[in-house]
Amino acid sequence: NDAEAVTRTQSSNGSIKGSADIITASKGAEITIEEGVKLSSEGNCCIFIPSGAEDVTVNTAGELSTSNSGYATIYVNGNVNSATINVNGGSITNNENTAIYAAGNTELTIDGGAYISGTSSVEIRAGKLTVNSGTFDSTGEFSVTENGNGSVTSGVDIAVCQHSTGHNLTAEINGGSFNGLRNVYASAYGSNTNVSVKVNGGTYTDASAFDYLNDDASVTLGWDITLEKPIAVTADNVTFNLGRYDLTA
């Protein structure tokens, strides 16, 4: 009920370490992790939003890390119908799993030059993702295991993979630097078609993002990018930045 709602702010320069979930959200919780704060979990999540924890808001600019865990650093359960996560700087890292895994219906915004790194950096399965800036370093070998529950990808910077709950799923990438083996991957669940990805900007090290170019997009190709096939551009007025030269299609 509404009485469960809490507001928690972790102030600057503090740190919390543990082997359990560092923060488990309750219904209506507002969680703020300020710049300079460090959360570290060995074996579990830094922030866990479980089933039943509706209308949770997370604002983080801190340093969140998870190690030796089968769980994401920030984890939203697939039964959650409403969550908001704003990453505005700082870092979110995981040495054995996804950094941010949002299976439930989540509005996720990443900005402020945040550093995100895990076997996959971000996997969202329901809701809306907006990436305005940041560095995304996925460390896993690229693989996809389609399923209704649980993480789908490894080695993907931005994974947009619809959950079996069938919620609408959209992603818009306006900027950022993407360095994993696969920069962008998207999939619908079953016969659903309500999945949308739009790429407007960013710097990429493989061509996977170019399948989702929006009209007037301006993207930069990393210096060591290898194209396995020609880029087919269906959007209008797209600019590819090639170091000293620009190519407009």
Side-chain angles (χ1 to χ4, degrees), residues 115-126:
Y115 178 78
I116 316 291
S117 178
T119 52
S120 280
S121 295
V122 177
E123 185 171 315
I124 186 167
R125 307 205 61 187

Side-chain angles (χ1 to χ4, degrees), residues 4-8 21-32 45-58 74-77 80 82-85:
E4 296 174 338
V6 296
T7 300
R8 176 167 184 171
D21 297 328
I22 303 300
I23 297 174
T24 300
S26 59
K27 181 180 179 181
E30 297 182 10
I31 300 164
T32 300
C45 310
C46 284
I47 299 176
F48 177 45
I49 303 178
S51 177
E54 302 297 338
D55 302 318
V56 171
T57 299
V58 176
I74 296 179
Y75 189 117
V76 183
N77 181 273
V80 171
S82 177
T84 301
I85 299 174

Side-chain angles (χ1 to χ4, degrees), residues 147-158:
N147 62 76
N149 296 286
S151 182
V152 170
T153 67
S154 176
V156 180
D157 294 322
I158 303 295

Side-chain angles (χ1 to χ4, degrees), residues 46-240:
C46 284
I47 299 176
F48 177 45
I49 303 178
S51 177
E54 302 297 338
D55 302 318
V56 171
T57 299
V58 176
N59 298 293
T60 179
E63 300 174 27
L64 283 57
S65 65
T66 291
S67 59
N68 306 319
S69 175
Y71 301 97
T73 307
I74 296 179
Y75 189 117
V76 183
N77 181 273
N79 292 318
V80 171
N81 292 306
S82 177
T84 301
I85 299 174
N86 300 307
V87 180
N88 190 25
S91 62
I92 301 171
T93 61
N94 194 314
N95 72 344
E96 287 194 358
N97 212 292
T98 304
I100 302 174
Y101 177 70
N105 195 29
T106 304
E107 185 166 336
L108 171 59
T109 302
I110 300 173
D111 206 344
Y115 178 78
I116 316 291
S117 178
T119 52
S120 280
S121 295
V122 177
E123 185 171 315
I124 186 167
R125 307 205 61 187
K128 179 181 179 181
L129 168 67
T130 304
V131 178
N132 293 320
S133 67
T135 299
F136 301 81
D137 281 333
S138 298
T139 59
E141 294 296 321
F142 174 65
S143 66
V144 175
T145 304
E146 295 291 353
N147 62 76
N149 296 286
S151 182
V152 170
T153 67
S154 176
V156 180
D157 294 322
I158 303 295
V160 184
C161 303
Q162 190 178 41
H163 197 275
S164 59
T165 52
H167 287 292
N168 289 346
L169 177 57
T170 65
E172 186 165 354
I173 303 172
N174 299 314
S177 179
F178 304 90
N179 304 310
L181 291 178
R182 183 66 62 94
N183 294 160
V184 180
Y185 176 83
S187 65
Y189 182 77
S191 60
N192 292 318
T193 58
N194 49 345
V195 175
S196 171
V197 179
K198 295 180 179 180
V199 171
N200 298 310
T203 299
Y204 299 91
T205 54
D206 88 326
S208 58
F210 305 152
D211 291 335
Y212 309 103
L213 291 170
N214 202 15
D215 290 347
D216 300 315
S218 179
V219 296
T220 300
L221 281 65
W223 66 272
D224 59 349
I225 190 170
T226 299
L227 299 179
E228 298 178 355
K229 60 180 181 180
I231 300 172
V233 179
T234 58
D236 293 331
N237 195 36
V238 173
T239 299
F240 294 92

